[in-house]
Amino acid sequence: MKRLTCFLILFFVSEALGFEIPTNDLPEFAEYGDLVELTPRKFQFVPENRRYQRSVSGESGERLEDVDQVTLHSYKVRSTITSRTANTVIQTKVVNNSPQPQSVVFDVQIPKGAFISNFSMTVDGTTFTSSVKEKSVGRALYSQARAKGKTAGLVRSRALDMEDFKTEVNILPGAKVQFELHYQEVKWRKLGSYEHRLHLQPGRLAKHLEVDVWIIEPQGLRFVHVPDTFDGHFDGVPVISKGPQKAHVSFKPTVAQQRKCSNCLETAVDGELVVLYDVNREEKAGELEVFNGYFVHFFAPDNMDPIPKNILFVIDVSGSMWGIKMKQTVEAMKTILDDLRTEDQFSVVDFNHNVRTWRNDLVSATTTQVADAKKYIEKIQPSGGTNINEALLRAIFILNEANNLGLLDPNSVSLIILVSDGDPTVGELKLSKIQKNVKQNIQDNISLFSLGIGFDVDYDFLKRLSNENRGIAHRIYGNQDTSSQLKKFYNQVSTPLLRNIQFNYPHTSVTDVTQNSFPNYFGGSEIVVAGKFHPEKLEQLQGIITATSANTELVLETLAEMDDLEDFLSKDKHADPDFTKKLWAYLTINQLLAERSLAPTAAAKRKITKTILQMSLDHHIVTPLTSMVIENEAGDERMLADSPPQDHSCCSGALYYGSKVAPGSIPSWVNPSPTPMIPLPVKGAQVLESTPPPHVMRVENDPHFIIYLPKSQENICFNIDSEPGKILSLVSDPESGILVNGQLIGAKKPKNEKLSTYFGKLGFYFQSEDMKIEISTETITLSWGSRASTLSWADTARVINQRVLVSVKKEKTVTVTLDKEMSFSVLLHRVWKKHPINVDFLGIYIPPTNKFSPNVHGLIGQFMNEPKVHIFNERLGKDLKKPEASMEVKGHKLIVTRGLQKDYRTDIVFGTDVPCWFVHDSGKGFIDGHYKDYFVPQLYSFLKRA
Ligand SMILES: *[C@@H]1O[C@H](CO)[C@@H](O)[C@H](O)[C@H]1NC(C)=O
Ligand SMILES: *[C@@H]1O[C@H](CO)[C@@H](O)[C@H](O)[C@H]1NC(C)=O
């Protein structure tokens, strides 16, 4: 009988999802102290060399000098990456050469988010293999094993982005033990490359130290790079061999190369081996790979214009940020602000117990604004508490308000970057309440990215906050590193290339598709979608992506043939034929875990739990809901492994682009990307307008007024001949608080000795909203209170402020409506720039249905109360082509001439002819008083009535 003195395996998981072992339930084993050291707060203070002692140490407490009593025979790490799916095996063999029993620890770091898929241990010929069990079952087995003094455990560390897998076994003199751990990950593209990190900590010199990384990428490898290993303090060099679609990185330092110095027993191998690579992307529509009943679709387009972003930086400036953290944050922010593009809009919110803003509104990232923001940030002196709730709500408010005012380009993306180093201490303290507030206010159109600095921050909270609001969270520990980490984090979201990305596959042959719609795609990342595919139904698989780019709506199509990959993969012994299936399971489980943590009801949560559990068992992986149980052939020795909780942030991918297909050829199963959530038309889009009402009051040209009188169904027209600069009251209704005035401009020079005048500027004032709208032939400026916003005639845009909607149709019209009850249209008349005489001018149209007060006045306003008009005695006039008539109006008898005036609303160039009766002498007799009575001093003056 082989003697196993003791197995200790324990998962120390503090998350709700994890395996909670009450402290008093901890087995009494020496490692408890170590376990505490591994919690993040303390981790960084553990001197590195302590780790050697821990990794393999004698039971009697002997230290390094005694270590050759246990020999590390081999330490091998092998990774195979097949189309982003990485399988890694860590295998060590240890021999006890001492005359005493020795406790041997297998202690390795695996990346956060990886799924452990197998663990086995062979102790002197007896193999213990693992099976995945539901956590409660595993726990029961664990208790039984513990009662028998035969337990083992996995220790989890929360340090950085690695998890600690640790198990310990006592072996007799002369005995050998072999450990083997398998785990799976999916490589996420970040900042233009995939990064594979292997944490190498053999703890001592290894007779055979071998690290191999095989990369098999059907798309072809663009580059493979291994940055300096172990900070350059090392002789052994990884060797890279690279073919078009495959690469091999091999690192096999000899024992001599491993030594820290020529005579020491200490190993210099202590750190990470990092392999960076990227793949080729010829197909714009992404790479669709189909294999073994599953498909995966990779989408990472580049070379596109960035979409403008509206970005709010929300920076924690509480007392704990004081010193190096703040210095580093300021440094990073300066670079980040410099990187903004002028089309971007931004502001900065800094908060401690109070919330301050650099600007209350978003401003364009011009050089001056950026310089000013930098100055503001530099001056910040951290102090006080942490009011995260209010800071976030303020940031959301600024974005939402800008959107509601129509100040956001509808084809832009809105982002919040939160940088914080601590939990809330002021204001709302309940994390669940903050989460709820944020979710309620964000309404799914802002992406919230969170960067947690240091150990005092509840990172799981930040993660939930971001996951729930279309963003990701990231955590950094070291203070020194804050600046570069913050920049790196920001760079991942600095270049939005697409919005509303939707992946579509034929429903008939595809099922169980992972998340297939994404709010944003950021340059340098990659969106991955996977699903099951039933090849019996189709020979080839078609994927269609719809998305909105900076300039256009994209429809990208890609087609995968069934046996494209089979041939390729069968030729490589390292290729993993299950990569599609594993990738699908990895994405699905991570999505379910994220959904589970946000499940609204207990029942919903239970349902998701059941699915995850089943998948973990089916795919033999350790998830937060399962444990790994290890037993020998006889089935009588057991130990347990729990998984570390997953970091879901890995999986909010983004992105891609492809060849265009004609819209007509889109199959019916394609759901076009949802219409932008912003209901207002975007720059460059069409503002839908109903056909203009047929009869309106209007002023056109040098100013010709046309007054439609609905009861008598007549058009009466007159001209006003005045001088440039004069302001005329068109509508003056102090009772309803509405006025429209027009200012005259002159032509470039007189024609036939007469200088024509036109309306060059119009002013609208809505007193109840305190809103002024100034429309010139150049710009449209809205102001209310102390705020102003300017649109150009080159925009198509809408601005809503309270009851007033201003809608601009590029180079054509501005429509101003109040509560839909009142409307005014302004037409822009552009003339040839070099025209010797004519200038650009404005026309205005006011429907007679507008409801003003009975006392409304002004050149047009007075006719809202229709005067009685009697037109009679039509006859040929002096000019034989123009009939004349007599008109009785307002007690005057006038002679009017039949004429034609233009309505330009449907045809801006030629206009449509409108017949009218023309009143001579500047409308004398038809209008109340003299036209000069309608002069007002200012663009927003009501008409004073005698
Ligand atoms: C786990 O590893 C052991 C030993 O290498 C092997 O026999 C077993 O089949 C593996 N189990 C799975 C599910 O891969
Ligand atoms: C998000 O949507 C809501 C509701 O439609 C809207 O009020 C808000 O302004 C939008 N915010 C942004 C930033 O687009």
Side-chain angles (χ1 to χ4, degrees), residues 117-118 120 129-130 180 182 620:
S117 57
N118 203 353
S120 64
T129 56
S130 62
E180 192 174 295
H182 296 240
H620 201 266

Side-chain angles (χ1 to χ4, degrees), residues 151-221:
T151 55
L154 172 64
V155 177
R156 172 176 170 262
S157 126
R158 304 227 272 156
L160 299 163
D161 38 9
M162 288 285 172
E163 307 276 356
D164 210 22
F165 179 98
K166 182 171 170 184
T167 186
E168 180 180 349
V169 61
N170 250 17
I171 57 171
L172 292 176
K176 297 184 197 109
V177 58
Q178 175 182 316
F179 301 97
E180 192 174 295
L181 177 73
H182 296 240
Y183 63 85
Q184 301 169 4
E185 315 157 77
V186 167
K187 300 281 121 194
W188 292 102
R189 188 166 181 258
K190 275 186 190 166
L191 302 173
S193 63
Y194 305 95
E195 186 183 78
H196 188 61
R197 287 148 69 105
L198 294 173
H199 206 85
L200 306 178
Q201 264 186 336
R204 54 170 52 231
L205 299 173
K207 267 196 181 145
H208 303 280
L209 196 156
E210 298 177 13
V211 183
D212 291 288
V213 178
W214 284 276
I215 304 170
I216 298 129
E217 287 286 353
Q219 273 171 273
L221 290 161

